[in-house]
Amino acid sequence: MTMSATEQSQWKLRRGQYLGEISALCFLHIPTHLSSLPLLLAGTGSQILVYDLVNGKIIRSFQVFEGIRVHGISLEIFHKQLPGSAPSFRIAIFGERRVKLFSLQIKLDSQEPFIDTELTLIHSLPKFSHWVLDVCFLKDGAISIEDDVYLAIGCSDNSVYLWDILKYHMFSEVKCTERCLLYSMKMHGNEIESLRIASGTIFNEIVVWKVVVQNNSTIPGSHTEDHVPLTADEGFLRPVPVFKDALISRLVGHEGSVFGIAWFSDGMKLVSVSDDRSARIWEVQAEKGVSCSDVQVRDNHFAGPVLFGHSARIWDCCIFDSLIITAGEDCTCRVWDHDGRELKEIKEHIGRGVWRCLYDPRSSLLVTAGFDSAVKVHQLYAYKGLEETIASEDFSDKHEVFALSLPNLSGNDQLMDSKSEYVRCLHFSREDSLYVATNNGYLYHASLINNETVRWTELARISEEAPIICMDLLSKRSKSSDGFENWVAIGDGKGRMTIVLVVGIDSSPKVDFTLTWPAERERHLLGTYWCKSLENRFIFTADPGGRLKLWKLRNNLTSDSLIGRASYDMFLIAEYASCFGMRIMCVDASFDEELLVCGDIRGNLLLFSLPRDLLCSTSIAAGVKASPMNYFKGAHGVSSVNSVSISVLSSHQVGIRSTGADGCICYLQHEKDLLNVEFIGMKQVKELSAIQSVFTSDRSDDSSVGDYAVGFASAIFIIWNLTSGTKVLQITCGGWRRPHSHYLGDLPEMMNCFSFVKDDVIYVHRHWVPTNDRRIYPQNLHLQFHGREIHSLCFISGHSLCSSDENQALVSDSSWVATACEDGTVRLTRYEPGLENWLSSQHLGEQVGGSAVRAICSVSKMHIFMPDIPTEVDRQNGTLEDRDPFILISVGAKRVVTAWKQIINMSNKREGTISSEIDKKNENDFKGSSTSTMSSFSFQWLSSDMPLNHTSHLKRQNAKEVTETTESTSTNTSDTISTELLSSNYMTMESNLCPEDNLENDWRYLDVTAFLVKEAGSRISVCFVVIACSDATVTLRALLLPYRLWFDVASLAPISSPVLALQHVVIPKFLPSKGNIQSGSFYMAITGSTDGTIAIWDLTECVENFMRQVSGLQMENLMDLQKRPRTGRGSQGGRQWRSIDHHKAKKKPGHCILRGKTCTDSVSTGKSDSGNEMESISSETSLSGTSVADIPFQADTQQASFVSGRRKDDLLPEISVLAPVQILDNIHQSGINCLHVSDIKDLSLSGSRFSFYVVSGGDDQAISCLRFELQVNPIDENSQNMTPVNHCTTPPVAKNNSKDHFLVQKHQMQVCYLDKIISAHSSAVKGVWTDGIWVFSVGLDQRVRCWNLNNGRLTEFAHLIISVPEPEALDVKTCGRDHYQIAVAGRGMQMIEFSGI
């Protein structure tokens, strides 16, 4: 039924906030009584965002254009505020060929100290014939009006238009004689007569010219006079020129296009940036009355050196009295002085670069913005080489640098020899307390009062015979005084351990006691470690052979050896041996979870049991020798593990976080019941080559404060804020091999210390601002997003988040969108209606090698498979899930497919220490520590699958042969085709395959769809993934969960053109004889190709055959083989994934032969000869539904990654080949870019008739709508299929309102061609969606259109211009009966609301 006009008016499309590139920046200085810092205006998409820099929050956002990007913001120079009135400013906003003049009024809430703004349109200027590059406010010097009265608009054809603000019309146009296209233009001046224009031409030069009055012409000096007459040209009023151009200078020197120009304040200098990666400073001399056409000499006026440092094109620049700032495509912003010295480099953006930079000399604030949507604010401190004039007085004296020498070396300038004393270890206990250990066995304490006063204290001479090798420190507040207790553990070259207890205040420390004992053999003591959770009662020592000893420090309260003081004894209570024999580098222990985690020098993680009874026992027993209860090999490749930490995820799960020398942070999960360890995620910090540790701030009142990565990038020490993506500290120190130490406060941006040794001098950098009201810099004002184009997105359905009551708070009104990007990243972004719609964006991870992600899909609904043979409930072994898994599947370049699994963590923050636990145990009142619970929602990496070394696909030239063979073998009882029948043809076709080494690497996955299937009563589920490749093949693959095993199930027969769009359909099957009980499902795939055809594929037999084989497997002895994603970092990059043919295991692998139900179930497990190491299992699995052809799998123990290897000679017979059951021709005149299938609708109460809609969009700008109806025949479950299925491969002729029939599993399927809109969009259609009532589409014309589907016809209902340039994907979420959210992605992302009023 068609809607009436009244009903249509009640439905509206409303824009949400655009999340994408920042293209314009401008400071707005307001009266100081309103704010001590200026406001920031940022242009993104078609919007203007207003930020308060004092609190770092957005004030308002305004829509200023319709589908036009904001390119620049200009602010009036002269402003007069009336007494008692709210301050207001006139701003000109321009983009493409449009200019609009606005009034921005500043409001202050009388009740609350918050600033508000209101933007009012004054006038919209006519559309210009060329793009606008700059706008400048001008004052009329001939009249007494103080406000600006003119606008100068510079266009890309090297012309300037003069606009009268008061009379709203153009009164003059000046065209430069140099009529060429420009990449940039910048104007300077406050009056017409003083206006100077610098034009960056396409000829790599800068033409500097100005506007002069023509002969016998006068400048309009009074607005009471009439202006010169205008002439009309094609609807645009063109003024009669009264001005002409005059050349000032022609600047030649750049070797590339000039992208940015900035004037000096006096107009005598300018700086330019170019495609040649350089910035140049020019001196401009005034020349009067010379026309551009009359000048023949080219003048070059250099005023400074050429600034080289960027590794890519430079986009923007600005110049001030003491510095020059440039921003480029290499994602860096660099600060220079006028002599060409680089003072500072800021690299905190990602993607295509930093597009805009802005500096305010008054507040010393530097703002950068770029393609990644982030707006970052930096405070330019007075760093070395940076002049004091650019540093705020508030911060210039807070950064201290100490240069210390050892007490015995003070004043000694002699050269060092073998007996000279030098530093071996450094360790901070507080910001003003540093412990130093030397090779001569001395332990010193340095009290850092200020950079001029340092007090040294010699605490002890640990050893006179051997140097100090290692040191660790545990600091705790003293129970008996207001000072601290510092427990210093020191190991020397003789293998002796010494513990020194230092008490008192840091300015006057004293040694309370020392304890020395032999811990290892000579030269075998390499490390000693305290654990905060175990306090000072226990300490670990490590040797080079991978052995870790646990020592217990016992307080002899009854000892009479020292009157008035307690004496201590040290006992060895446990010895842990690594199965890898590698040196242990770091440890962490949990008393509550009874777990010890260690990381070694070759990237391995080991888990040991740490029984509570062992720690709390009061008896003295011989040391217990323990082996790992589990391990994870190659967590950081072959790079050293630098730190590990343990956290509690739930009552039965423990989280493990590790950092390494590969620049990665790895996250693992330990199941206490199953005693296994699972890799769940990894974060690459590309700014760091080695991460020493991760610091978590205790402050929860600031969203920008969170986790900090501490590490090195070559010879530079860096502290990186992982939450805001900003660099906190950068100090050149010589690298991590030198003795060094760091100490961070609650706010690392304001509280950080770092010390290192260089040339026998201890350098200490301290920045300590303890006041809590300091503003944190750097600061991220706007959400950081993808740095490149987004190719695909999908909503995360709300019902998957609400499986339990405690997760309701995660959903509320929020929407979660998963996006896939060209840079290889996958992100999860949260949207919520309000002022700042996009609340958070989480980086989930990257594809292997950072390959571009072309498509992403989500799957949460579980379909139940009913086997023919009754099975026992819960007979399969595996990890029992609390709920069905929610999976994300991403595919892209290099034929990489990655699976992500949803997690909802319930983090427990436990309070209490081992001391309280031991005391409670001794008092027989052990009740555990208090716990606070926090929930978080995310996705973790689940599995990745790489391409094989040899192709397994048929090429397009063989499509006809395969189709003919398929038809001849259709008499099989299964719809799948046994490839054994094609083995003879395969040998003749093998020579026609594309060269594997030359062309195979260019193939990429184009689209993906997936569905979950689980056998009733089983714990094992299978995620079936249908993937389209650029070589015109489509493959059905299976991911076996929770074992993370990938299988090739079937290959959809090659068709004539590559598939660009994929969808699947799952229709339930019912048994009428048993009261319409569901007996299974029909599984179908629908594909859209570049030739405009839509094909339907029946996957039912392949899915059911695979599920039957899985149901017959006994997998209790099968371990999780796939370990961690390949990152391309450090030792993980550059290795070939060797197949079973090219790799021989050093040890005998075990085998697990898996057969289907038709064969005898058998499991053969072989064990390796290694003592404590787990066996490496290689499994061979049968996949074909009609044969038992095995597929070998190889577990490469050296790579710690699961590899699927196949031999070339048995390549083809591994999987079945499917032919389409129907091909619908001429649906589109060119490629089909997008498909969508509506939900299945049951047209009958008996489950015998189902229908669904399919909409498609293509390059032909058309939208097509089809309706499918499946008539299920009432058959008995015991009946046999006696008649072969007829696969119709004759392409039908697509006509509106025509119908086609074909069979799916002997059931009648009818296709009805409903409607086709020939010109739905003015450009290619890139995304469609339908629920059978509404159809939404988006095209490259930047329009979202809403169509109503009534009576089989598509009727356009509404359309909206969006801010997303080059949109590529669309998805829709149904929020209610009359409410839809439409997400559109391309160069950015935007949400559109569609609902009834």
Side-chain angles (χ1 to χ4, degrees), residues 100 155 225 297 392 416 450 455 518 555 578 654 743 784 1085 1097 1168 1207 1376:
K100 288 187 178 182
C155 295
E225 301 177 2
V297 180
S392 170
M416 292 188 61
N450 54 58
R455 181 179 300 168
N555 189 344
S578 169
V654 176
Y743 183 80
Q784 190 165 34
W1097 312 77
S1168 65
R1207 283 186 287 272

Tab-separated table of all heavy atoms in Angstrom, residues 100 155 225 297 392 416 450 455 518 555 578 654 743 784 1085 1097 1168 1207 1376:
chain	number	residue	atom	x	y	z
A	100	LYS	N	30.814	31.117	2.538
A	100	LYS	CA	29.706	31.569	3.369
A	100	LYS	C	30.258	32.429	4.496
A	100	LYS	O	31.314	32.137	5.060
A	100	LYS	CB	28.929	30.387	3.939
A	100	LYS	CG	28.088	29.642	2.916
A	100	LYS	CD	27.206	28.581	3.574
A	100	LYS	CE	26.331	27.891	2.543
A	100	LYS	NZ	25.422	26.887	3.176
A	155	CYS	N	40.991	32.521	-5.940
A	155	CYS	CA	40.547	31.297	-6.611
A	155	CYS	C	41.721	30.621	-7.315
A	155	CYS	O	42.795	31.203	-7.507
A	155	CYS	CB	39.441	31.611	-7.616
A	155	CYS	SG	37.921	32.229	-6.841
A	225	GLU	N	28.141	55.762	-1.827
A	225	GLU	CA	28.262	55.857	-3.275
A	225	GLU	C	27.786	54.566	-3.908
A	225	GLU	O	27.869	53.484	-3.331
A	225	GLU	CB	29.718	56.105	-3.665
A	225	GLU	CG	30.296	57.388	-3.071
A	225	GLU	CD	31.748	57.553	-3.429
A	225	GLU	OE1	32.267	56.685	-4.157
A	225	GLU	OE2	32.363	58.527	-2.998
A	297	VAL	N	62.069	39.597	-16.088
A	297	VAL	CA	63.126	39.009	-15.279
A	297	VAL	C	62.506	38.220	-14.130
A	297	VAL	O	61.587	38.706	-13.478
A	297	VAL	CB	64.058	40.108	-14.740
A	297	VAL	CG1	65.176	39.483	-13.898
A	297	VAL	CG2	64.624	40.923	-15.880
A	392	SER	N	55.906	28.549	27.431
A	392	SER	CA	55.087	29.203	28.438
A	392	SER	C	55.877	29.350	29.722
A	392	SER	O	56.623	28.474	30.126
A	392	SER	CB	53.821	28.374	28.685
A	392	SER	OG	53.133	28.866	29.793
A	416	MET	N	90.084	6.418	31.601
A	416	MET	CA	89.641	5.203	32.270
A	416	MET	C	90.554	4.038	31.920
A	416	MET	O	91.094	3.951	30.800
A	416	MET	CB	88.204	4.864	31.860
A	416	MET	CG	87.163	5.855	32.367
A	416	MET	SD	85.501	5.268	32.038
A	416	MET	CE	85.486	3.732	32.967
A	450	ASN	N	67.809	19.424	43.403
A	450	ASN	CA	67.595	20.215	42.200
A	450	ASN	C	68.798	20.013	41.302
A	450	ASN	O	69.743	19.298	41.653
A	450	ASN	CB	67.364	21.704	42.522
A	450	ASN	CG	68.480	22.287	43.381
A	450	ASN	OD1	69.645	22.262	42.990
A	450	ASN	ND2	68.117	22.797	44.559
A	455	ARG	N	72.959	15.156	46.459
A	455	ARG	CA	73.608	14.618	47.645
A	455	ARG	C	73.849	13.120	47.449
A	455	ARG	O	72.913	12.347	47.267
A	455	ARG	CB	72.736	14.854	48.877
A	455	ARG	CG	73.352	14.353	50.179
A	455	ARG	CD	72.420	14.667	51.339
A	455	ARG	NE	72.193	16.115	51.450
A	455	ARG	CZ	71.250	16.642	52.230
A	455	ARG	NH1	70.465	15.853	52.950
A	455	ARG	NH2	71.100	17.958	52.283
A	518	PRO	N	74.864	-17.382	48.909
A	518	PRO	CA	75.215	-17.885	47.558
A	518	PRO	C	73.968	-18.375	46.839
A	518	PRO	O	73.275	-19.275	47.320
A	518	PRO	CB	76.198	-19.009	47.850
A	518	PRO	CG	75.836	-19.475	49.225
A	518	PRO	CD	75.331	-18.280	49.981
A	555	ASN	N	61.635	-13.975	58.593
A	555	ASN	CA	61.966	-13.110	59.717
A	555	ASN	C	62.011	-13.951	60.988
A	555	ASN	O	60.998	-14.509	61.416
A	555	ASN	CB	60.912	-12.008	59.849
A	555	ASN	CG	61.321	-10.950	60.866
A	555	ASN	OD1	62.216	-11.178	61.673
A	555	ASN	ND2	60.649	-9.817	60.820
A	578	SER	N	62.889	-24.066	32.696
A	578	SER	CA	62.267	-23.806	31.409
A	578	SER	C	62.501	-24.974	30.470
A	578	SER	O	63.595	-25.569	30.447
A	578	SER	CB	62.831	-22.525	30.796
A	578	SER	OG	62.444	-22.377	29.456
A	654	VAL	N	42.413	-15.909	33.512
A	654	VAL	CA	43.471	-14.988	33.903
A	654	VAL	C	44.047	-14.364	32.635
A	654	VAL	O	44.323	-15.073	31.661
A	654	VAL	CB	44.570	-15.709	34.708
A	654	VAL	CG1	45.724	-14.759	35.017
A	654	VAL	CG2	44.005	-16.286	35.988
A	743	TYR	N	60.996	6.472	35.952
A	743	TYR	CA	60.019	6.509	37.035
A	743	TYR	C	58.877	7.428	36.600
A	743	TYR	O	59.116	8.544	36.145
A	743	TYR	CB	60.653	7.031	38.324
A	743	TYR	CG	59.714	7.028	39.510
A	743	TYR	CD1	59.467	5.865	40.227
A	743	TYR	CD2	59.078	8.196	39.922
A	743	TYR	CE1	58.612	5.862	41.308
A	743	TYR	CE2	58.232	8.211	41.006
A	743	TYR	CZ	57.994	7.033	41.695
A	743	TYR	OH	57.143	7.027	42.769
A	784	GLN	N	40.555	9.630	17.121
A	784	GLN	CA	41.429	9.150	16.057
A	784	GLN	C	40.785	7.953	15.382
A	784	GLN	O	40.305	7.030	16.031
A	784	GLN	CB	42.797	8.772	16.597
A	784	GLN	CG	43.817	8.487	15.498
A	784	GLN	CD	45.232	8.470	16.023
A	784	GLN	OE1	45.482	8.066	17.140
A	784	GLN	NE2	46.176	8.915	15.213
A	1085	ALA	N	24.128	-19.425	-1.335
A	1085	ALA	CA	24.960	-18.242	-1.535
A	1085	ALA	C	24.479	-17.528	-2.782
A	1085	ALA	O	24.085	-18.163	-3.769
A	1085	ALA	CB	26.431	-18.612	-1.666
A	1097	TRP	N	23.740	-20.316	-5.552
A	1097	TRP	CA	24.476	-21.552	-5.317
A	1097	TRP	C	23.850	-22.277	-4.133
A	1097	TRP	O	23.532	-21.669	-3.111
A	1097	TRP	CB	25.946	-21.261	-4.995
A	1097	TRP	CG	26.603	-20.308	-5.950
A	1097	TRP	CD1	26.453	-18.954	-5.989
A	1097	TRP	CD2	27.510	-20.633	-7.004
A	1097	TRP	NE1	27.203	-18.411	-6.994
A	1097	TRP	CE2	27.877	-19.424	-7.635
A	1097	TRP	CE3	28.067	-21.828	-7.466
A	1097	TRP	CZ2	28.758	-19.373	-8.701
A	1097	TRP	CZ3	28.947	-21.771	-8.531
A	1097	TRP	CH2	29.280	-20.573	-9.141
A	1168	SER	N	55.988	-36.660	21.151
A	1168	SER	CA	57.378	-36.348	20.856
A	1168	SER	C	58.268	-36.856	21.971
A	1168	SER	O	57.836	-37.224	23.042
A	1168	SER	CB	57.536	-34.834	20.664
A	1168	SER	OG	57.250	-34.182	21.866
A	1207	ARG	N	49.984	-30.608	-1.305
A	1207	ARG	CA	50.895	-30.969	-2.374
A	1207	ARG	C	50.236	-30.669	-3.712
A	1207	ARG	O	49.031	-30.774	-3.869
A	1207	ARG	CB	51.264	-32.458	-2.277
A	1207	ARG	CG	52.276	-32.748	-1.209
A	1207	ARG	CD	52.711	-34.188	-1.261
A	1207	ARG	NE	51.682	-35.080	-0.765
A	1207	ARG	CZ	51.548	-35.412	0.515
A	1207	ARG	NH1	52.369	-34.899	1.400
A	1207	ARG	NH2	50.609	-36.228	0.901
A	1376	GLY	N	14.241	0.107	15.960
A	1376	GLY	CA	12.864	-0.012	16.419
A	1376	GLY	C	11.957	-0.153	15.224
A	1376	GLY	O	12.393	-0.299	14.078
